[in-house]
Amino acid sequence: MDLFEVITKRRTHRSEFSDRPISESDLAQLIESARWAPSPFNVQPWHLVVVRDRAQKKAIADLTTCAITEQFEDPQFLDDNGRWMRTTIEEWERFQDGVLLQDHVDLPADLSNSTVLKPLLKHASHLSLLGKLGVGGKPAQEIAGLVIRAPVLIMISMDRERKPPGEAYLRWMWLGMGAMIQNILLTATALQIGSQFISAAIERTSDRQQLSQILGLPKSHEMVSLIRFGYLLHTDGEGLLPAKGVRRQSSDFVSYENYAQKKAE
Ligand SMILES: Cc1cc2nc3c(=O)[nH]c(=O)nc-3n(C[C@H](O)[C@H](O)[C@H](O)COP(=O)(O)O)c2cc1C
C-alpha cells in the first residue's frame, strides 16, 4: 500500500477488534512512527503509556462509563452533538461532514427512524431526558467493553515542561502532538491495526485528574488522547476494511491567493 492509500483508507473503528494481542514488532513500529514526528524546535513533548494490563484497562473503562452516562444527561453536550450527528447515511453523504448517529448510539428500535430522531435532535433536551431514563447507559457499557477488550490502549500525554520558546509555544506543541498521533494512526492502518479515540474518558478535568493518578503521570503532563488499538476482525482482500467515510469537497475549503478566490486561475 502506498502512503496516499494508507491516508485515505484510515478510518475510525468503533466495533470489536480481534482479541489477538498486538505483536511486539507491530507495537515497536507504532512507537517508532511516533518518535519521528515533527515538533517545534524538535522538543518532542510526547509521552505514551501503553496499557495492556486488564486491571488498568478496567479502571479506564469505569471512568469512561461514568463520563458517557453523564454526558447523556447534559443538555448542552447533547445540543452541541445535534449539530454534527447525521441520522441516516443519505443525510451524512449530503452534508459530507459530521458522524453517523448509529455508529455512536444504539437506540431503541422505535427511535432509530429518522423522522422520529430529527425532531429529537433539534430539541436536545428530549435526548437528555432519554439519558436520564437510562438510554445513555447502553452506549456507555458498550464502549467500556470495547475499552476493556482492546488488546492495547495508549494514553498520549504532552509534557508541558518540554516547551519551545515564543509566545505561541502551546499552540506549536499541540500541533506537534497532532502530527505525532497521525503518524501512529497511519502506521496502524498500514499494519491492519484499527484505532479509535476514546475521548470521553479524558473530556472532564476531574476524570483527567483521576486517570493521571491511575497511570502515575507526572504533574507536568497534559493528557492529549486515549486511543484503543487492535487488529481488524473484518478485512477486504488487501487486509483493510473499507469502512465508510465522508469528506467535504476540496473546492469547499481551498482558496487561491485570497480567501474569496475559490478557483485557481
Ligand atoms: C481529536 C479527535 C478526537 C476524537 N474522538 C473520538 C471519540 O471519542 N470517539 C470516536 O468514536 N471517534 C472519535 N474521533 C474520530 C472522529 O469522529 C473521526 O475521525 C471522524 O468522524 C472522521 O472519520 P474517520 O476517522 O473514520 O475518517 C476523534 C477524532 C479526533 C481527531
Side-chain angles (χ1 to χ4, degrees), residues 168-183:
Y169 71 93
L170 206 50
R171 170 187 294 247
W172 312 136
M173 286 173 87
W174 280 100
L175 283 175
M177 294 301 295
M180 183 277 278
I181 292 170
Q182 182 72 344
N183 272 13

Side-chain angles (χ1 to χ4, degrees), residues 70-122:
E70 285 174 30
Q71 278 177 342
F72 264 77
E73 295 168 6
D74 175 359
Q76 186 61 54
F77 176 83
L78 292 162
D79 258 340
D80 294 347
N81 258 262
R83 179 176 172 198
W84 299 109
M85 282 291 172
R86 307 295 170 235
T87 54
T88 61
I89 295 209
E90 294 72 39
E91 184 183 281
W92 197 34
E93 283 172 342
R94 196 171 65 247
F95 276 83
Q96 300 179 333
D97 62 15
V99 294
L100 200 53
L101 183 72
Q102 70 206 44
D103 283 347
H104 287 262
V105 189
D106 211 359
L107 285 163
D110 43 345
L111 273 182
S112 55
N113 106 35
S114 76
T115 48
V116 178
L117 273 175
K118 271 209 169 344
L120 274 178
L121 281 173
K122 282 219 174 76

Side-chain angles (χ1 to χ4, degrees), residues 29-70:
Q29 225 174 315
L30 294 181
I31 293 169
E32 190 63 6
S33 71
R35 201 173 150 241
W36 285 99
S39 60
F41 283 82
N42 201 14
V43 299
Q44 305 166 57
W46 39 75
H47 187 94
L48 311 182
V49 179
V50 176
V51 177
R52 287 178 287 196
D53 177 71
R54 197 180 159 83
Q56 288 290 76
K57 287 195 264 182
K58 166 106 177 45
I60 295 170
D62 287 348
L63 270 177
T64 312
T65 310
C66 287
I68 294 175
T69 308
E70 285 174 30

